[in-house]
Amino acid sequence: MRRFALVLNTRSDTYAAMARTTGSHSEITGPRIREAALRLFAKHGYAAVSMRQIAREVGVQVGALYNYTPDKQALLFSLLQGHMDELLAAWEAEPRGADPLARLESFVRFHIRFNLARPEAIFISYMELRNLEPAPFAAIESLRKTYEQELEAILAQGRDAGVFQLDEPRITAFALIAMLTGVNTWYRADGRLSEPEVASLYWDMTRRAVGA
Amino acid sequence: MRRFALVLNTRSDTYAAMARTTGSHSEITGPRIREAALRLFAKHGYAAVSMRQIAREVGVQVGALYNYTPDKQALLFSLLQGHMDELLAAWEAEPRGADPLARLESFVRFHIRFNLARPEAIFISYMELRNLEPAPFAAIESLRKTYEQELEAILAQGRDAGVFQLDEPRITAFALIAMLTGVNTWYRADGRLSEPEVASLYWDMTRRAVGA
DNA sequence: GTCTATAGAATGATAGAC
DNA sequence: GTCTATCATTCTATAGAC
């Protein structure tokens, strides 16, 4: 275990870093803890995963984890927050058409592509919110609401422009996001359909559902 | 606690039952354990709930639980299996139209009504499958697949009859079930829309999504 | 920054009395 | 059928050495 971590660490070792004590390789440990926690939380659930399990995956002793997080729940919160920040930033950076129909198609394809690229983060974002205290819970919920409102705004604009036939932009947004997120439960990269093909199928359903 | 349980028990007490020792009221304890476990698993997650917590909710000591389940996981499995059996039986008993369009509407309204009536069971059915061993997991998955195939069959029939415009009945079924199940994440009984109104909104979206 | 060692509490499950 | 008491294990988190 130790050997593996040291090998990885040589990527960015400076002379100063190499003068550290044997067990010191913090530059790589932090991200590896996050990756291991994400994977284990997604597979077994937050409550079912022990700090010892995470440490074992990373190849350190349990005490070392507490150099990177004050406690277990802060680690979960950090993962969820990082994921939501990444989601919102990626959508902001996504090229999108001017009219509501093109924007809706951009949203559908972006959502499926983004979600399929990080199934573990998506999974814990939907499953482990209940393990947060009220304040951290509210913070994540706020970010999620921001994302939902992006879709709601597109739907409202399309309705006002007479392009979409729908009465309830908010509820339609909930329905569409649930439908699109569901791809993660069945899609397999080695399956019959490619990701773009799946996205096109869902875009067809979405376009019809909003009456475009 | 004890008093409450005894009061409930008097409903069906026979002379023989009343001759039992003080702590004996099994006729009511079993269901109460299941109800408490369902509620607690849904709220906190299977792994986060202890047998002691369940016992406290029911008003018995932890040892008494093991008269009703060999272990904690068997209790979870029993809840999941009971829920899936109930779902399939309820759908079998549901009146449904002869043509695919009427059958699809029946399915949509049934699914929303059934799910909103038991949010806790729905929640753990989607969240706690990963806490089952491979064999129990496969058993529940098989029941779920049976239900999905009911919808898939309706979609395939409608497509073959030229009523629905869709290429992939299986994927369309996945998409629709995910969309419909999503109602549980936002619906509140004291909200602006009644359950039938919500069902009608989702039926509109469903009908359009399948090109009917 | 990581290690070893441990405090202090909680867990699932069982044994035996009533 | 339920209770009390307990075993053996596991857990989160911390203290102090290096």
Side-chain angles (χ1 to χ4, degrees):
Chain A
M1 299 272 209
R2 167 76 58 80
R3 254 199 309 279
F4 181 54
L6 284 173
V7 165
L8 283 179
N9 199 25
T10 54
R11 286 186 316 144
S12 58
D13 265 348
T14 62
Y15 189 76
M18 291 175 72
R20 285 182 191 149
T21 60
T22 315
S24 176
H25 39 270
S26 73
E27 288 163 25
I28 196 70
T29 301
R32 291 190 71 210
I33 289 173
R34 296 173 61 83
E35 288 156 19
L38 183 69
R39 185 170 57 252
L40 290 171
F41 289 165
K43 188 167 183 183
H44 306 291
Y46 168 80
V49 173
S50 70
M51 295 297 269
R52 279 176 177 79
Q53 261 179 286
I54 298 170
R56 197 184 317 132
E57 281 274 311
V58 176
V60 296
Q61 293 300 314
V62 64
L65 300 185
Y66 291 88
N67 289 317
Y68 299 91
T69 181
D71 54 37
K72 189 184 172 188
Q73 194 191 125
L75 178 56
L76 172 63
F77 176 72
S78 170
L79 291 173
L80 295 176
Q81 190 179 45
H83 169 69
M84 291 306 299
D85 287 345
E86 193 186 4
L87 171 67
L88 289 171
W91 171 242
E92 283 304 310
E94 184 79 2
R96 45 191 120 166
D99 60 299
L101 189 65
R103 285 170 78 95
L104 183 59
E105 179 171 2
S106 298
F107 186 93
V108 168
R109 293 187 186 278
F110 165 80
H111 188 88
I112 288 176
R113 172 164 32 86
F114 189 89
N115 280 21
L116 285 181
R118 37 186 81 63
E120 288 152 340
I122 297 297
F123 201 72
I124 68 168
S125 289
Y126 279 86
M127 311 278 261
E128 306 296 357
L129 274 179
R130 60 186 169 185
N131 288 301
L132 296 178
E133 299 293 326
F137 176 86
I140 302 296
E141 275 297 285
S142 171
L143 294 172
R144 181 203 301 278
K145 191 173 179 183
T146 299
Y147 183 66
E148 290 169 347
Q149 285 173 340
E150 292 285 319
L151 175 56
E152 183 183 341
I154 294 171
L155 295 174
Q157 286 159 12
R159 178 200 55 182
D160 294 345
V163 185
F164 301 155
Q165 317 301 319
L166 51 91
D167 294 325
E168 298 278 353
R170 186 104 186 277
I171 291 170
T172 306
F174 289 155
L176 292 178
I177 287 178
M179 181 180 83
L180 299 173
T181 304
V183 174
N184 277 51
T185 64
W186 62 265
Y187 180 82
R188 296 295 171 263
D190 58 355
R192 178 169 56 88
L193 297 169
S194 71
E195 184 200 293
E197 288 171 332
V198 171
S200 293
L201 283 173
Y202 275 75
W203 166 233
D204 281 345
M205 286 187 278
T206 299
R207 191 181 46 205
R208 287 199 282 235
V210 301
Chain B
M1 298 274 206
R2 169 73 61 75
R3 252 197 313 277
F4 181 54
L6 284 175
V7 165
L8 282 179
N9 200 24
T10 55
R11 286 184 316 144
S12 58
D13 264 348
T14 63
Y15 189 76
M18 290 177 73
R20 285 181 191 149
T21 60
T22 314
S24 177
H25 39 271
S26 74
E27 287 163 25
I28 196 69
T29 301
R32 292 190 70 208
I33 289 174
R34 294 172 63 83
E35 287 155 20
L38 183 70
R39 184 170 59 251
L40 290 171
F41 289 166
K43 186 166 185 182
H44 306 289
Y46 170 79
V49 174
S50 69
M51 294 298 270
R52 279 173 178 79
Q53 262 180 283
I54 298 170
R56 196 183 317 131
E57 282 274 312
V58 176
V60 296
Q61 293 300 313
V62 64
L65 300 185
Y66 291 89
N67 289 318
Y68 299 91
T69 181
D71 54 39
K72 188 183 172 187
Q73 193 192 123
L75 178 55
L76 173 62
F77 175 72
S78 170
L79 291 173
L80 295 175
Q81 191 180 44
H83 168 70
M84 291 307 299
D85 286 345
E86 192 186 3
L87 171 65
L88 290 171
W91 170 241
E92 283 304 311
E94 184 78 2
R96 43 191 120 167
D99 60 298
L101 189 64
R103 285 170 77 92
L104 183 59
E105 180 172 1
S106 298
F107 186 93
V108 168
R109 295 188 184 277
F110 165 80
H111 187 89
I112 288 176
R113 173 165 30 87
F114 189 89
N115 279 20
L116 284 182
R118 37 184 83 61
E120 289 151 339
I122 297 297
F123 201 72
I124 70 169
S125 288
Y126 279 86
M127 310 278 260
E128 305 297 357
L129 275 179
R130 60 186 169 185
N131 287 301
L132 296 177
E133 299 293 325
F137 177 87
I140 302 297
E141 275 297 284
S142 172
L143 294 172
R144 182 203 302 278
K145 191 173 179 181
T146 299
Y147 183 66
E148 290 168 347
Q149 285 173 340
E150 292 286 317
L151 176 56
E152 182 184 342
I154 294 171
L155 296 173
Q157 287 160 11
R159 177 200 55 184
D160 295 344
V163 184
F164 301 154
Q165 317 301 319
L166 51 91
D167 293 327
E168 299 277 353
R170 186 104 187 278
I171 291 171
T172 306
F174 289 156
L176 291 178
I177 286 178
M179 182 181 83
L180 298 175
T181 303
V183 173
N184 277 51
T185 64
W186 62 264
Y187 179 82
R188 296 295 172 264
D190 57 354
R192 179 169 54 89
L193 298 169
S194 70
E195 184 200 293
E197 287 171 335
V198 171
S200 292
L201 284 172
Y202 275 77
W203 167 233
D204 281 345
M205 286 188 277
T206 299
R207 192 181 45 205
R208 286 201 283 238
V210 300

